[in-house]
Amino acid sequence: MNITGSQRLWFFFLSTCLIFLLAGCFSSTPPVTSVPASTSLEAGTILHTYSSRFSIYGIAWSPNGKRIASGDAIGTVQVRNAATGAIIFNARGHAGMVWAVAWSPDGKRIASASWDKTVQVWDATTGRHILTYRGHTDLALAVAWSPDSRSIASAGSDRTVQVWDAATGKNILTYRGHTETVSAVAWSPNGMDIASASFDNTVQVWKASSGENLLTYRGHSRRVWAVAWSPDSTRIVSGSEDGSVQVWYAITGSYFSMYHGHSVGVQALAWSPDGKRIASGSWDATVQVWDAGTGSHILTYRGHVGPIGALAWSPDGKSIASVADDIEVWVARG
């Protein structure tokens, strides 16, 4: 029997699906818990924990660093005060779990990708629904904004990456270079290229304007879950089920460095705003921060009790928000 990429995801996250099926038995407004830490903080020390009744997935900071957006198992996009955890609004419109969220660089909108096969766009101030993109034929798993906030790239279990107009929802192009589920997508900071990671064990880099493939990176031996660009658009970091985090040159695909700090698969990656550090989140329940130039270990954060599904640096580079059912915000350096 042939098993599709979406079926693999359903099997892998069966427990999460059960949470979703039971969601109607509970209140539709999840409570929030904010747990401040002491005023004396060292690197990797927790600042706040934001808990929800339902599992939390994607995470994104607002460009000004004052708010955090996330998605959950019952299809809600939540925006919180980053300092207190207070929920500013709940945006409801998805019929399945929200797997990924992305804040537009201009700070005005939030995009969310869901297992209901749609990507939806929301007003970042009020939570008002703006549009729904229905171009995917299977689970929508990843979403990324263009640097000018005019376009969105989304990807999923239909093996495609689709680029579309953020104002109208009109499809601009569809990239079909992958042969398996596309698990992550990242737009280069210079706006020229897009990198997409897939369960076909590759990361592919292609022109955002035309979909022309520029290179296919084959350094991983198992499914690739995460990808991120360096702020100067010269390097790419990718994380895989093979447990490695690999850094390579975006133009040539040649190897730069490899990080082996995790014991199992890596599902989340983020490059620090100053380009000096990389954070990687793993199924080993740790987030590790390491030097992007040398690969040397800087710190290991062990505040979570489950696999790390997503993480994001604060815009000032001082803190990291990481997700493992709950959200924890912690100091990224001393």
Side-chain angles (χ1 to χ4, degrees):
M1 179 180 68
N2 292 326
I3 299 176
T4 66
S6 61
Q7 287 173 324
R8 290 191 185 100
L9 280 168
W10 282 107
F11 294 150
F12 189 83
F13 297 104
L14 178 60
S15 61
T16 305
C17 294
L18 292 174
I19 292 174
F20 176 72
L21 291 172
L22 294 171
C25 300
F26 300 97
S27 168
S28 60
T29 304
V32 61
T33 303
S34 177
V35 184
S38 69
T39 56
S40 177
L41 298 169
E42 297 179 356
T45 303
I46 191 168
L47 290 167
H48 298 279
T49 298
Y50 309 146
S51 299
S52 170
R53 180 171 295 172
F54 307 111
S55 297
I56 299 173
Y57 299 107
I59 190 79
W61 289 82
S62 63
N64 65 10
K66 295 181 178 180
R67 297 184 176 189
I68 293 175
S70 62
D72 71 17
I74 62 168
T76 303
V77 175
Q78 299 171 351
V79 172
R80 306 165 184 261
N81 182 301
T84 67
I87 295 177
I88 297 171
F89 64 77
N90 288 318
R92 298 183 177 91
H94 285 292
M97 67 176 66
V98 176
W99 191 249
V101 293
W103 212 297
S104 64
D106 64 10
K108 296 179 180 180
R109 290 162 293 172
I110 297 166
S112 53
S114 170
W115 282 27
D116 66 8
K117 307 178 185 179
T118 74
V119 180
Q120 301 193 26
V121 180
W122 315 85
D123 185 289
T125 301
T126 65
R128 177 180 62 87
H129 181 264
I130 297 175
L131 67 84
T132 299
Y133 180 71
R134 303 182 186 277
H136 291 285
T137 59
D138 210 330
L139 313 180
L141 302 173
V143 63
W145 288 85
S146 61
D148 63 8
S149 299
R150 298 176 63 181
S151 303
I152 293 172
S154 56
S157 294
D158 60 7
R159 306 177 183 181
T160 71
V161 182
Q162 303 190 25
V163 180
W164 41 282
D165 188 290
T168 67
K170 180 181 179 180
N171 180 276
I172 298 170
L173 66 87
T174 299
Y175 182 75
R176 303 182 186 277
H178 291 287
T179 60
E180 269 288 0
T181 291
V182 183
S183 51
V185 63
W187 210 302
S188 66
N190 65 15
M192 297 178 62
D193 304 321
I194 292 172
S196 49
S198 172
F199 287 4
D200 63 13
N201 301 356
T202 74
V203 179
Q204 300 187 23
V205 182
W206 41 280
K207 288 185 178 180
S209 60
S210 66
E212 176 190 352
N213 179 278
L214 299 174
L215 67 88
T216 297
Y217 182 74
R218 305 182 186 277
H220 292 287
S221 61
R222 299 185 66 182
R223 295 186 289 189
V224 186
W225 277 90
V227 66
W229 289 82
S230 63
D232 63 4
S233 299
T234 63
R235 289 174 291 163
I236 291 172
V237 60
S238 51
S240 166
E241 282 184 18
D242 62 18
S244 73
V245 183
Q246 302 183 23
V247 182
W248 40 281
Y249 289 102
I251 295 178
T252 64
S254 57
Y255 171 84
F256 179 81
S257 67
M258 186 179 300
Y259 182 71
H260 283 293
H262 295 287
S263 58
V264 289
V266 175
Q267 187 172 335
L269 289 169
W271 213 301
S272 67
D274 64 7
K276 296 179 180 180
R277 294 159 294 156
I278 294 171
S280 51
S282 168
W283 299 337
D284 64 13
T286 72
V287 178
Q288 302 194 26
V289 179
W290 39 283
D291 189 290
T294 66
S296 60
H297 179 262
I298 296 173
L299 67 89
T300 298
Y301 179 71
R302 304 181 186 277
H304 292 289
V305 295
I308 310 300
L311 57 85
W313 288 86
S314 61
D316 63 8
K318 295 180 179 179
S319 304
I320 292 175
S322 50
V323 175
D325 285 343
D326 59 3
I327 299 173
E328 295 188 355
V329 179
W330 45 280
V331 179
R333 62 180 178 185

